[in-house]
Amino acid sequence: MNEEEKSIQNLTAYKPHLETISKKGIALIGVLLLFILFGVVCLYTQVAKGHVVTGMRDNVVWGLYIVNFIFFIGISYAGALISGILHLLRVPWRTPIIRMAEMITVISTMIGPSYILLCIGRLDRLPNIALFGRIQSPIIWDVIAITTYLSGSIIFLYLAMIRDMALLRDNPVKTAKWRNPIYKFLSVRYNDTTKQKELLNVSTDLLSIVIIPLAILVHSVLAWIFGMTLRPGWHSTIFAPYFVVAAVYSGTGVLIMVMWIFRKVYHLEAQITKIHFNYLGIIMIILGALYGYFTFSEYLTSWYGSIKWDMEVLFRLFSPGEYLIEFIFAVFIGVLVPIIIVTVPKFRNINSIAFAATIAVFALWVKRYLIIIPTLESPLLPIHDLRPEYVHYSATWVEWGLTFAGIAMFILLFYLFSKFVPIIPVVRTGEEKDYSRLRKVVFEKQMKKAIKENKKGDTITTGIVILLMLVASSGAMAQDDTQVQTVLKLEYFHVDSLQSLTGTLLSRQEGRYQPLEGMEINFKLMQGGTEKSIGSALTNEKGKVAMAIPEEVLATGGDKGLYTFSASFMGKDKYGKSSGATTMKPLKMEMSFFQKEQEKMADLKAFEQDKDGKWVPVEGLEVQFYVPRTFSLLKVGKGKISGGAASLEFPTHIPGNALGYLTLMAKVEDNEVYGNVEVSGTINWGKPLPPVKVIKRGLGDTDAPLWMVYTLIVLLSLVWFHYMYVIYTVFRIRHLGKQ
Amino acid sequence: MAKKNKKDSTRRNFLKQGFTIAAGSLLGGGLIAACTKEQGPVATGEKVKVLTADGKLMEVDRGHAMCCNVPSSADVRKGIPGRHFVMVVDLTRCRNARACVKACSKMHFLAPGQEWIKVFLMQDSEDTTPYWMPKPCFHCDTPACVNVCPVGASFKRDDGLVLVDNERCIGCKFCMAACPYSSRVFNWKAPDNQVDAKYSPMTGVPQKVGTVGKCDFCPDSFLTGILPDCVTACPNGVYFFGDKNEDVVTNGVESFRFSDLVKDKAAYRYMEELGTQPNVYYLPPVDRRFPVEEGFESVPDSSKAAYQVKRAHLKKYKI
């Protein structure tokens, strides 16, 4: 029997699965669709109500979604590493399983990232990633790596399918014939000529070389999302290889599970034999041992080092009330049980290996949960919160619903795909002859039986948790109509040459003072029983209102040199009227600077009007010196004016501007006679500010570090160059087929 | 009412009076220190009247007022030139009065239960004394949150502030995972009672569902010399805020030279070893003004259990 005959024989064996679908199959699709539909309901709930419907809160910001994300990306390793490495090493027994492995990769790489989308609070803003993407962010690394990886996996899966497509084109399916043109299109006129065969082999080899480092990178990047943070249990240098090993381990486990299921359901006992389970089982336990080794190393290091944050996470993992059971399952059972089952010959059979794989896969899911949740529940600062959901994470029905929907989607896509393309590559290539002979006997025996539809039904576990949510509403505040007392305070300010009045209007309610905004205040000058209006203005949000005193008002000489001002509020709505008054005597202050040998001095002169309106020096007035700053005045000294003058050593040690310009202010505060008077002067005697430096913040900058940009460009161009070359090869195969 | 609206009304008042208001201009020495242009303050001779934070009128040279304009929208990401804002938290004064928390939540329209400032009951080890530690965002100089943001919604300004643009934020929460100080909160559902104001990362309002928020040091009011709300709200003057370049921090009542205060009181930054370089300094809780028990007075009985120190390596603090 030559290769072509064998291929056709294989196809004939598989064809019933392509052409028919059993009632149980339809029922399975129905059940899966129900799960997916429920997932859609969950998704709608989450989008409509916000992430409040999930168990995630400010401390545990990521939950099941991220766990599922890591899990699915992890199992995608089945295709990349298993099929890639087995292909490169020309391992003869790989053929029947590589299609499944690659399908696991493609489907889980599509489902995995959708979980990260579920973590995103604003899905409508996803374009921002393209618009404002910062390649310093590990999330951007992840986006780039996963899209590249998914593209590569799809191309890889397709390359391996071309031969089967050609065979299907030549032997069309009899039901659902709309598939035949698709097969024809996808077969790219492949006729198995020497040249075409060579091109196909070269590009498959090329791609499997590219996809292995790429796969390692994808999971490393995923690990770095956690490793780059300063969180206990995450900030670990071995996280990337640890994630990679755990991922391949779970990927192998899922591959064994898938093999077992299809073997049963599609009766592929002939193609998928005990050898596959044994070999993959051995690969799996080697990876399991590696995973155990990394785990041991990780926890031993943090336990021995016993940094208190690390210890807190470890205590959580080791506490019976918290995560001890999960920890034992994920770390001990998940490693030891598969190893015992596979290594002890007595226990080793197809079913037990599949069971071991299932244990490993579940353990790894739990391990991802243990990586994410306990760390987030142990922030560096304590949690003072009584709301249990802020202290401990527990997933809600929305999250479980979407988790099961993802798994259902995985199974559904797998099932539908197996109805479209043979789940086992039907076309054998030359290098696998040895292996074909090995399983020839079994195969022929199997052929006699002919293919029957599966007997065993598919069982789906259902576990839906429904939580009731209570919405509390708050009552409205009561209002009272009684009149509210108001207080109006009036202050006089004399700042440099500007003299002004500032009123502060406050309401008094239950002993509390509140500023009143938008109230009109009238300012007046009181002079010998007469009132002269100065103007009116509205209060601001702090109840303050300011009014400049016109020069001509102060030129009147006042009442023997004294001026009395009043401000009044006429009352509005429920607020009663009030007024305030202040009396003051004008004070004139001047500031000058002089340098005496080494001493830099500020000189202050102060004058007041005597009874005749003549300006005379002031005696014995307390004055404070300040340096004004943005939010406050810094006191630098005080003095007493004697003989109309005071002086202060200039505070040269205080920073001024770039040229050292510094303002010094002299102030008379709340004086009974003079009110508030201040005068200031600016001179370049302060400490000059060093010139503003352009601050380089590295990762925090808008632009990424150059090495990162270059690395990314080089890596991406290398990978995509190979993709393009492979795609070009496919077109060449098509072109060759024309001749 | 939104902070912005308030400013508008202030502005209207003065326009009504016919004064020329250099709205939002900095005053006094702050004004001058902000002028980092090479020539320093150039007097134009033309005087403008401006309103200070405490409501008094001042007349300044237009040249001084103009060299520190309100930042344009592009400057929202760069900050106020020549500034480096810092906060000093005096742990000797805190008694968990929670006025800062309330003022902040009110000012930023935070959802119930959301806190941009948190007050922690800390006890570093079994035998050391417990103390109250208020914690705003540390506005780190090498902020872990900014590093990991995929879209630049969190950004570091040259004046030291770390702000969040919640109109750009995609809500991936990576910054929340990256921040070692639990400074960030998430709007898990559509926030109620939001104001109809134009959003700016400087005001932080209105809050938006599915985005991250955090303490922003209230930079929208810096330009008028107004301190962050937590600083002014605190009855005990715990918070000191200021510009490191001006070398002065104030709690609204007292002002100190930053360099002296930090030196004399042996200030430290929380978890300096993480290398995040915070811009918030703590004065150690020595000679505390209030016994730690007093801090529970502001805590309702039903919430007291939350302060049980749950860390495995610490003894529970008996309330």
Side-chain angles (χ1 to χ4, degrees), chain A residues 637-653:
Chain A
K638 65 177 178 184
K640 199 163 199 174
I641 294 171
S642 64
S647 63
L648 177 87
E649 197 178 329
F650 194 86
T652 49
H653 55 292

Side-chain angles (χ1 to χ4, degrees), chain A residues 125 128 137 629-630 653, chain B residues 83 148 166 168-169 246 257:
Chain A
R125 292 186 185 164
N128 283 5
S137 169
R629 307 272 81 167
T630 309
H653 55 292
Chain B
R83 301 309 195 97
V148 301
N166 82 15
R168 191 190 278 193
C169 175
E246 282 186 352
R257 290 199 60 193

Side-chain angles (χ1 to χ4, degrees), chain A residues 32 68 71-72 111 115 402-412:
Chain A
L32 293 174
N68 292 332
F71 178 76
F72 276 107
I111 292 172
Y115 279 107
L402 281 161
T403 301
F404 285 117
I407 296 166
M409 184 65 116
F410 181 83
I411 300 169
L412 181 68

Side-chain angles (χ1 to χ4, degrees), chain A residues 560-579:
Chain A
K560 289 176 187 167
L562 290 174
Y563 294 84
T564 303
F565 295 99
S566 80
S568 56
F569 168 56
M570 297 316 290
K572 194 182 173 191
D573 303 336
K574 60 174 179 175
Y575 298 106
K577 57 182 173 182
S578 56
S579 62

